Amino acid sequence: MKLRKAKNLSELYLTCGTNDYFYQDHLHFCTELKNNNIPFSFEQWNAQHDFIYFNEAIQKMITKYCL
């Protein structure tokens, strides 16, 4: 799927646990972003779709963006 070129896109920050049931969908989404030159960063680690993962992802985002 090709998208129209957008100007001044901010980088998306994405994370996903490798044991998350959405993991394969997430990888596909990242491929589409890359194919359409949409800036993003993607972190993945051994985790599930649960609060433990969510809490760690929030901490990483806060650190990355100095929030």
Side-chain angles (χ1 to χ4, degrees), residues 1 4 6 9 13 17 19 25-26 30 33 37 40 46 53 55 57-58 64 66:
M1 174 182 201
R4 286 181 279 146
L9 289 175
Y13 176 65
N19 297 321
D25 294 326
H26 206 89
C30 288
L33 292 172
N37 297 315
F40 71 98
N46 185 15
Y53 164 79
N55 190 46
I58 291 293
K64 181 176 178 73
C66 301

Side-chain angles (χ1 to χ4, degrees), residues 2 5-6 9 31-40:
K2 285 290 182 190
K5 186 155 181 124
L9 289 175
T31 299
E32 291 299 319
L33 292 172
K34 187 174 183 178
N35 289 343
N36 286 282
N37 297 315
I38 297 173
F40 71 98

Side-chain angles (χ1 to χ4, degrees), residues 39-65:
F40 71 98
S41 65
F42 173 51
E43 292 187 54
Q44 58 187 338
W45 60 91
N46 185 15
Q48 299 181 57
H49 192 97
D50 58 17
F51 184 76
I52 295 167
Y53 164 79
F54 177 73
N55 190 46
E56 189 173 347
I58 291 293
Q59 293 301 317
K60 287 179 182 250
M61 183 192 70
I62 289 169
T63 300
K64 181 176 178 73
Y65 294 103

